[in-house]
Amino acid sequence: MRTTLPISSQRLTREKPPLDPKAYLGTRTMIEFIEHLGEKIDASWGKKGYALEAFSQIAFQTLQQAGLHRVFTVEKLLDSLWTKKDLPKQLSLFNGFGQPPITLYRNQQHNFLIDLYFWIQPEISIHSHGFRGAFTVLEGRSFQCRYDFSIRDNLENTILFGDLTLRDTTLLHPGDVQEILAGPSYIHQVWHLSFPTLSLAVRTLEPQQTQYVYLRPHMAFLARSNAMSLTEENTAYFPLPSKKIDTLVCLNATRYPLEGRSPRAWLKALIAETPPHEGFLHLIKYYDLTRDIEAIQDVLNSAPSLGKWAPEFLATLSRMHGVQIKWTQIREEGERFLLALLFSLEEQSDIMRLVRAYNPAEAPEALIVKWLAGLMHRRDVNIQMNHTALTVLERFLYGDSEEEVCRHLSRIYKGTDPQILKEDVRQIRDRLRSDGLLKALQKG
């Protein structure tokens, strides 16, 4: 029997903020207040002897007590940013994790910093952490999914094969704080729903720690870039093979007329000469840049050294292959939330419960249909539906039987042969059940 997925939709309990940010900001800028938080964290951590295992709880309690969301505004941030003469050394000058990320405080002596993140792109990879700390939402709403990963095979601590399972989900509101733990005990994905969402993270710098990016349902790979994104040169620590892949992608995209071997043949040669843990990283990068799953299957068929893990690898790529979305073009928070649910959950009851928690004032069935109708007319997401299919899905969401759906359609399409309507309804339901994105909305 299926265990109901734990769903948390309540605001986290917060103590009254003793830092009194409103009074503090009377004479100081927003960045100065954040610097003050950094100094307070350093002092509290010092009382614990700067023990790494104490940092996450200290960061969590400080952010929880500060209540920064109560006084934070983008205008105050811009005022203080424009009057700054300089910023600390930045964790990242690129915009892979955060759009943009801004390091506002850095403690060089004890190796921790405070980063502010603007989020336009809602989706972050499922990942663990090579550091510890805490983060808080300043503006907007986010949806967090936490996962467990059971390892079956470990390839040189670079590629892991196993099973990724969803542990729980939480709707995060401004002021909510989450503790960040290092390692596999805290694997999560955060969907930033508002356009934009702003968050603040306090984190250590621990170069010896490792972190992984997880791909549902069976795979993880070592992430060595701060961006935690497939497209952010995660294979850059194999520079020569990585540049070979980039070259093949270019030649493949331009249909360059090579004499002799095709780009796919060159890819097979590259994979044949690399150990499995490197080979899978190169194939992930090639797939991410080309979406050519047929080429990946062909290469795996010619690479016996990878054959043991080929089924799980292909199952993982197939999960990625189903839907491509231009996230920055989808700005309506509800539509972003629905997509996050469809990507993350597998049971209709869990989706309905979270939609009800997101907006208790409206029926979840009506909200889902409204959001799907908005997405259906966009070219930014390939939802294969028409108005008839949407009507059929709506009736099934409300619990109608197949016969009741047919009767409903007969009132819309008067004079249509009932047998034809019945066949159409069954075909639509079959398509919905096989659709990688929409099948979770179907019971049974």
Side-chain angles (χ1 to χ4, degrees), residues 407-419:
R407 285 199 295 270
H408 180 82
L409 289 181
S410 68
R411 291 192 290 269
I412 299 174
Y413 304 106
K414 295 178 181 179
T416 305
D417 187 331
Q419 186 60 35

Side-chain angles (χ1 to χ4, degrees), residues 230 245 248-255 262-268 271 280 282-301 313-314 316-322 324:
L230 292 182
I245 291 288
L248 295 180
V249 168
C250 174
L251 296 177
N252 187 62
T254 58
R255 302 291 192 268
S262 65
R264 188 179 298 188
W266 286 103
L267 179 62
K268 290 180 180 180
I271 299 303
F280 281 118
H282 301 324
L283 289 178
I284 288 172
K285 180 175 184 180
Y286 187 85
Y287 172 77
D288 190 54
L289 294 173
T290 65
R291 296 285 160 170
D292 190 349
I293 198 167
E294 181 184 327
I296 301 298
Q297 290 175 315
D298 190 20
V299 171
L300 287 173
N301 289 336
F313 183 65
L314 287 171
T316 300
L317 291 191
S318 296
R319 181 91 185 215
M320 298 166 58
H321 191 70
Q324 300 177 45

Side-chain angles (χ1 to χ4, degrees), residues 130-331:
F131 54 88
R132 61 204 79 205
F135 74 91
T136 183
V137 181
L138 296 178
E139 287 192 9
R141 289 196 281 187
S142 297
F143 174 58
Q144 177 180 245
C145 300
R146 293 195 303 164
Y147 293 87
D148 294 312
F149 187 74
S150 58
I151 301 174
R152 279 194 297 273
D153 285 300
N154 183 333
L155 307 185
E156 303 294 331
N157 291 323
T158 302
I159 294 290
L160 309 177
F161 284 100
D163 294 305
L164 187 70
T165 55
L166 185 60
R167 181 196 302 178
D168 58 39
T169 66
T170 310
L171 279 168
L172 299 176
H173 303 78
D176 287 339
V177 183
Q178 292 283 294
E179 187 176 358
I180 300 170
L181 303 176
S185 61
Y186 187 59
I187 301 169
H188 78 154
Q189 180 176 35
V190 181
W191 300 82
H192 299 291
L193 305 178
S194 305
F195 189 84
T197 306
L198 281 81
S199 62
L200 188 85
V202 180
R203 53 155 294 178
T204 56
L205 293 168
E206 302 178 51
Q208 75 278 12
Q209 288 279 355
T210 58
Q211 61 189 47
Y212 288 87
V213 172
Y214 296 80
L215 304 176
R216 295 198 303 169
H218 296 307
M219 193 172 177
F221 63 89
L222 186 65
R224 302 202 185 183
S225 76
N226 291 325
M228 289 185 292
S229 164
L230 292 182
T231 57
E232 287 288 332
E233 294 295 325
N234 283 297
T235 55
Y237 44 100
F238 303 119
L240 178 57
S242 183
K243 294 307 174 185
K244 289 180 179 178
I245 291 288
D246 291 339
T247 301
L248 295 180
V249 168
C250 174
L251 296 177
N252 187 62
T254 58
R255 302 291 192 268
Y256 192 87
L258 291 171
E259 295 182 7
R261 288 191 285 182
S262 65
R264 188 179 298 188
W266 286 103
L267 179 62
K268 290 180 180 180
L270 171 63
I271 299 303
E273 65 187 24
T274 57
H277 68 284
E278 291 185 26
F280 281 118
L281 283 178
H282 301 324
L283 289 178
I284 288 172
K285 180 175 184 180
Y286 187 85
Y287 172 77
D288 190 54
L289 294 173
T290 65
R291 296 285 160 170
D292 190 349
I293 198 167
E294 181 184 327
I296 301 298
Q297 290 175 315
D298 190 20
V299 171
L300 287 173
N301 289 336
S302 67
S305 63
L306 306 185
K308 175 183 176 181
W309 305 281
E312 290 179 307
F313 183 65
L314 287 171
T316 300
L317 291 191
S318 296
R319 181 91 185 215
M320 298 166 58
H321 191 70
V323 180
Q324 300 177 45
I325 295 175
K326 297 177 182 177
W327 284 109
T328 55
Q329 302 303 313
I330 300 171
R331 305 185 178 190

